[in-house]
Amino acid sequence: MVSRSCGRNSLIRVVAIAAAGSGLFYGSSNPDSSELYFQFLLMFVFCVFNLRKLVNSSETRISLSIPATLHESVLVQRQMSQSFTPHSPFISSDCWQFGNVSLVSSRVNPASSGSIKKEYPVTEEAPVKEETTGDVKDGKDSCCRCLGRDTIANAAARVCPAVVNLSAPREFLGILSGRGIGSGAIVDADGTILTCAHVVVDFHGSRALPKGKVDVTLQDGRTFEGTVLNADFHSDIAIVKINSKTPLPAAKLGTSSKLCPGDWVVAMGCPHYLQNTVTAGIVSCVDRKSSDLGLGGMRREYLQTDCAINAGNSGGPLVNIDGEIVGVNIMKVAAADGLSFAVPIDSAAKIIEQFKKNGRVVRPWLGLKMLDLNDMIIAQLKERDPSFPNVKSGILVPVVTPGSPAHLAGFLPSDVVIKFDGKPVQSITEIIEIMGDRVGEPLKVVVQRANDQLVTLTVIPEEANPDM
């Protein structure tokens, strides 16, 4: 009788210690869980009270049940703790056996509990790399704007086979002084290569003089002799053609107008004859004006990035994370790091179209200096002159060149252009896009003048002087 009593008392101690111990362990592991710890203590008292009633029975197998509300609070607290700590405070074990007593651990699978039907969120699947394309997927839908560990590598891999190294003779005062180097990208399987003009031609004024045959080396080691088909001085864009009896890889052209400051981009090329060179960075500015860089002549806009480029990168592609060409690397600031510039691919594509259509780039000229208006500039101008037109947007005309098409059409300084060729306009870029290569074609322009006077003018653009 004494041994049986001692055995039962030992059993009570084991269960009591297990219940109290699990509560103490959980409370010490979760300093902010005082309420839940108190519930464990209540459960412990409840267990001891019921065990004393059971010790007189012949059954020694005891099972402990946790109320559903307490069980759910435990699981919710566990999920919250897992989201903030790398390891769960619960001991991972399914069951411990002490003689005939089964002590179930506090870690319970919700799916196996009959009293709990609530579904808990499942953790997201880890990214999976597809074997066929090498692209990274997140297990559900692909996110082309998300940056993963292979995003840059995938983008470079799509364009890399089409990147070429260019080498052309370099002359100084008619004397051959070595060879210049640059890069380019095959943009058509027929062997059309997009590159920078200064890599493959010499300019005397605006006239392009080919440097001679261009040596073209592909990433796979094949070499070709290229011919310069077209080159434009102002944009610094050129087209080189190679002929091949075997298929040539071609890169896809993207859209530079979709770029925003902060977007990731990749610069590719062959700096200092180092082929297969890839550098990455972000877009710093999407519309850097040529005047901001101290460049004269016609108005131009560039993509500014912080990608590392060096001698030999000129003409190489600037690529977005989708593996599409969005620019042509053209120059950098020599005395600074992280100041690189590229011709937007939208501009380069229009130049290519004009090469095919006209054999050269035709640029209409109006003879106007123009300025995009915004709320701040408009407010400042109205402070200076209360008669300034009440506009919310438009293009201000500060200067009209005497004898120009605009002067002959009746433009005046301080005019605000609000419509061009029947279309509302808010930027100089829109006017340039509307004009395209339309030379000698009458265009209707609506301007708003002081005291809100509306005037419709007809201007006939002339072809710009290439040496301007």
Side-chain angles (χ1 to χ4, degrees):
M1 182 69 180
V2 174
S3 62
R4 181 180 178 183
S5 175
C6 291
R8 288 172 178 170
N9 289 335
S10 299
L11 176 61
I12 293 174
R13 292 191 187 96
V14 169
V15 175
I17 291 172
S22 63
L24 289 172
F25 178 77
Y26 185 83
S28 62
S29 303
N30 298 269
D32 297 328
S33 59
S34 58
E35 182 178 353
L36 194 59
Y37 173 54
F38 180 70
Q39 292 178 350
F40 269 112
L41 290 180
L42 290 179
M43 183 182 71
F44 161 64
V45 174
F46 176 78
C47 291
V48 172
F49 178 77
N50 283 280
L51 283 171
R52 289 189 176 277
K53 292 182 179 181
L54 293 172
V55 293
N56 295 323
S57 66
S58 59
E59 296 292 334
T60 58
R61 181 177 181 84
I62 301 171
S63 62
L64 302 179
S65 62
I66 301 175
T69 56
L70 177 58
H71 186 264
E72 182 173 358
S73 65
V74 170
L75 289 175
V76 172
Q77 184 72 16
R78 171 175 175 259
Q79 289 180 344
M80 293 177 61
S81 65
Q82 283 182 327
S83 63
F84 292 101
T85 57
H87 301 288
S88 170
F90 294 91
I91 299 175
S92 178
S93 177
D94 292 333
C95 183
W96 293 298
Q97 293 288 338
F98 285 83
N100 293 327
V101 181
S102 299
L103 297 180
V104 180
S105 71
S106 56
R107 182 172 184 173
V108 181
N109 184 359
S112 63
S113 176
S115 63
I116 299 178
K117 302 297 183 182
K118 184 176 179 180
E119 295 183 0
Y120 292 90
V122 181
T123 56
E124 301 249 345
E125 295 181 8
V128 179
K129 189 170 184 178
E130 291 191 342
E131 297 296 334
T132 56
T133 63
D135 296 343
V136 174
K137 302 292 184 181
D138 61 1
K140 295 181 181 179
D141 295 329
S142 176
C143 177
C144 65
R145 307 296 295 175
C146 301
L147 189 69
R149 60 176 294 177
D150 296 324
T151 301
I152 300 297
N154 289 337
R158 292 188 182 100
V159 182
C160 186
V163 178
V164 300
N165 172 242
L166 303 175
S167 176
R170 177 182 295 169
E171 293 185 1
F172 180 72
L173 298 177
I175 302 175
L176 187 64
S177 59
R179 300 187 69 85
I181 59 172
S183 304
I186 302 174
V187 295
D188 195 308
D190 66 357
T192 300
I193 298 172
L194 177 63
T195 185
C196 281
H198 73 261
V199 172
V200 294
V201 298
D202 287 319
F203 285 101
H204 290 269
S206 61
R207 293 187 302 114
L209 299 178
K211 295 181 178 180
K213 292 296 183 180
V214 180
D215 293 335
V216 180
T217 305
L218 273 62
Q219 300 290 331
D220 57 17
R222 288 183 288 173
T223 60
F224 298 90
E225 190 175 81
T227 302
V228 179
L229 295 185
N230 306 97
D232 180 61
F233 171 72
H234 292 285
S235 64
D236 201 13
I237 292 295
I239 295 296
V240 175
K241 183 72 165 59
I242 60 175
N243 297 312
S244 173
K245 295 180 180 180
T246 56
L248 293 172
K252 181 181 178 182
L253 300 185
T255 304
S256 54
S257 60
K258 295 182 180 180
L259 290 175
C260 298
D263 281 348
W264 283 92
V265 285
V266 181
M268 306 179 67
C270 311
H272 300 289
Y273 290 103
L274 300 175
Q275 289 187 270
N276 307 321
T277 297
V278 177
T279 61
I282 62 169
V283 176
S284 306
C285 180
V286 296
D287 55 356
R288 179 64 64 202
K289 308 294 189 294
S290 55
S291 57
D292 296 341
L293 304 176
L295 301 176
M298 296 181 181
R299 181 181 185 272
R300 302 175 299 284
E301 290 186 352
Y302 300 104
L303 299 173
Q304 179 182 331
T305 76
D306 67 349
C307 294
I309 64 173
N310 295 279
N313 271 116
S314 291
L318 185 71
V319 180
N320 62 15
I321 60 175
D322 297 320
E324 301 169 337
I325 298 179
V326 293
V328 181
N329 296 313
I330 186 173
M331 60 185 170
K332 63 173 288 188
V333 176
D337 294 325
L339 292 176
S340 305
F341 303 92
V343 177
I345 198 61
D346 291 353
S347 300
K350 293 176 182 177
I351 291 170
I352 294 173
E353 290 177 5
Q354 291 213 38
F355 283 157
K356 294 178 180 178
K357 178 181 178 181
N358 306 315
R360 58 189 177 88
V361 179
V362 177
R363 293 183 172 89
W365 177 64
L366 297 177
L368 295 175
K369 276 191 173 295
M370 296 182 283
L371 174 68
D372 294 343
L373 293 177
N374 57 39
D375 293 340
M376 296 293 101
I377 295 177
I378 292 172
Q380 188 178 54
L381 292 173
K382 288 188 72 67
E383 286 180 3
R384 296 177 181 176
D385 182 5
S387 66
F388 186 81
N390 291 311
V391 294
K392 294 183 178 179
S393 61
I395 301 98
L396 176 66
V397 178
V399 178
V400 180
T401 304
S404 66
H407 180 255
L408 298 176
F411 278 87
L412 298 176
S414 299
D415 280 350
V416 177
V417 179
I418 57 176
K419 283 187 177 182
F420 199 92
D421 195 30
K423 301 175 183 177
V425 290
Q426 298 181 356
S427 68
I428 302 171
T429 302
E430 291 175 337
I431 293 179
I432 295 174
E433 290 178 353
I434 291 172
M435 286 195 298
D437 60 351
R438 297 160 70 180
V439 172
E441 181 180 337
L443 300 172
K444 296 289 185 181
V445 182
V446 177
V447 299
Q448 193 164 340
R449 291 177 174 168
N451 300 315
D452 296 328
Q453 180 185 5
L454 290 176
V455 179
T456 300
L457 306 173
T458 301
V459 62
I460 303 176
E462 298 177 2
E463 185 173 357
N465 184 348
D467 293 325
M468 288 179 62

